[in-house]
Each structure stands twice: as C-alpha cells, then as structure tokens.
Amino acid sequence: MLKGEVGQVSRRISKKMYEFADQEAFEQAAACRDLLRHLAVGASEVKTGHMHVFDTAVMGNQVIVLRLDVVDGHVTDANCELVELEGKHVEQDWLIQYVYHFYQLFSTPKMIVLPISDPSLLQDALSNKRVQVKDIHSVAFKDLKAIAQDNISAYKTAQSNELYQWPQFWGQLEQYLNQSISKIICVDVSHHQGSSTYCTFVVCNAHGMDKT
C-alpha cells in the first residue's frame, strides 16, 4: 500500500499523465488518470467507512465540481460536473446549496468533506441525515486534497483535448453518415428509485456543446 506517500505519488503520476497527453498518447494518459482515482488515502481519520469528498475549481465561466467516493481509505470513483457560474463564485454558500440538493436525491455517506470554512452550516442543513461534515483544508485531509486537485487537473486536460479533437470527430461522423450535420440533440429521462423524475436535454454542433 502507498499509505502516507499518496500525495507525493499522485503528483508523480499526474505529471506523467500530462506528459502522455502532450505526446497525444491518450490511452496511457487515461491509464494514469484511472490510477489517480484508486490511490489509497493515508490519513487515519478516513481509513474506515464511506465518505464523499467535494472540491472545486473555476474554468472560464464555469465551476468544476469534483466528487470523490472514498471507501475504507481508498478512492473508488471520481466524478466531475461543470456548473455555470452565474455569480456563484462570489456567493460563499453556493456550494452548500449544491451539496444539500445533491443529497435530496442521493443517499449520504458517513462523512462529507468539502472546501467550506464553517462545516456546521451544512451539518445543520443535513441534520436528519446523520452525517459528519468536515473542511477539506484540515491537515487530516491533505492527501485527499492533493488527489482531488490531481483529478481536477486531469479533467481540465481531458476537456482541452476533447475540445481540440471535436472538429475532427464531427467531420468523421459526417463522413460516416454521408451527410452534413447541423446539430445533434440528445434527450434522457431518468429518476431516483422511482421518484424525482427529471429530464436532460443536450445539444451539440460542429463547434462543441451548444449551451444557448
């Protein structure tokens, strides 16, 4: 096991991932990214139970919201979502609202770790969930913070690569279908265990995702 060296090891893997990405060796870069997601966490406070770790980073006019799943001290999954800013970056409680609404749809883990100066605000809001809320800037979570930042950096790199490759992909798609394509519309209806039904509507064109 990597134990206390996780932060240092993850940074080395992250550096190698960027090197592969620069060389357009995307399969090797993806392998490094997947390895980052499954590193063991060294801090004793996070070695048992199930927790979610949130971290954020601004990218253009959007915020990257990362969520790590940590089970018995191992990062088992990492998910990123792009959230439109709309002034959220100047509202100190926007992340609290985001996380609160997230757990109205999904079950809570034993502990939630996120960048928040006053964890009691979210703790009180989720008082009926019996979950502990901690600040990611605490020394106990320094390795998790490093892993979170490495995953966010990997996500930024992947987004940049996808944007660069999009016109090529679109041209190949038109060639395969033997016709010009102005846009693609995707609609998906989902629910959470039979309730809270919602619909997602996504549009893309030759330049990427159309958010107008």
Side-chain angles (χ1 to χ4, degrees):
M1 302 302 291
L2 299 174
K3 295 185 178 179
E5 301 181 38
V6 172
Q8 181 180 358
V9 172
S10 66
R11 283 186 282 276
R12 290 203 300 268
I13 296 174
S14 181
K15 181 180 179 182
K16 195 67 179 177
M17 178 183 64
Y18 297 142
E19 291 176 358
F20 281 133
D22 290 339
Q23 298 167 9
E24 297 188 358
F26 299 120
E27 289 186 4
Q28 292 91 330
C32 289
R33 177 202 62 202
D34 293 340
L35 181 58
L36 283 173
R37 293 177 174 177
H38 293 83
L39 288 175
V41 179
S44 59
E45 188 170 354
V46 299
K47 283 184 177 178
T48 58
H50 180 208
M51 69 163 59
H52 286 163
V53 178
F54 290 87
D55 205 0
T56 63
V58 176
M59 188 173 76
N61 62 345
Q62 298 171 311
V63 174
I64 300 171
V65 179
L66 168 76
R67 179 176 55 81
L68 299 176
D69 277 287
V70 182
V71 179
D72 293 334
H74 291 77
V75 178
T76 59
D77 196 15
N79 294 278
C80 282
E81 179 182 0
L82 279 177
V83 179
E84 297 294 333
L85 279 177
E86 298 178 355
K88 293 184 179 66
H89 61 298
V90 297
E91 298 177 9
Q92 295 182 356
D93 62 345
W94 81 265
L95 184 58
I96 296 177
Q97 296 176 18
Y98 174 94
V99 174
Y100 173 80
H101 288 296
F102 178 86
Y103 290 116
Q104 301 312 299
L105 293 175
F106 302 100
S107 59
T108 55
K110 180 179 179 181
M111 182 183 295
I112 301 170
V113 180
L114 70 167
I116 177 176
S117 58
D118 187 0
S120 65
L121 295 175
L122 183 60
Q123 184 89 54
D124 292 343
L126 297 174
S127 59
N128 63 323
K129 302 287 187 179
R130 296 183 180 180
V131 60
Q132 298 182 58
V133 181
K134 302 288 186 178
D135 182 7
I136 197 173
H137 297 108
S138 170
V139 175
F141 305 112
K142 63 178 182 179
D143 286 339
L144 279 174
K145 176 68 174 178
I147 293 173
Q149 288 299 306
D150 286 340
N151 275 273
I152 288 176
S153 295
Y155 180 79
K156 287 181 177 179
T157 300
Q159 290 290 302
S160 177
N161 290 337
E162 288 178 9
L163 183 62
Y164 175 77
Q165 296 173 358
W166 186 268
Q168 180 181 359
F169 157 75
W170 197 266
Q172 292 174 342
L173 184 61
E174 289 185 324
Q175 184 177 5
Y176 175 78
L177 296 175
N178 194 28
Q179 67 180 64
S180 177
I181 305 172
S182 61
K183 67 175 63 175
I184 297 176
I185 302 173
C186 301
V187 180
D188 181 35
V189 179
S190 187
H191 61 84
H192 179 61
Q193 298 180 351
S195 62
S196 303
T197 303
Y198 59 94
C199 177
T200 303
F201 186 83
V202 180
V203 180
C204 58
N205 56 37
H207 304 291
M209 304 307 296
D210 185 355
K211 300 180 181 180
T212 58

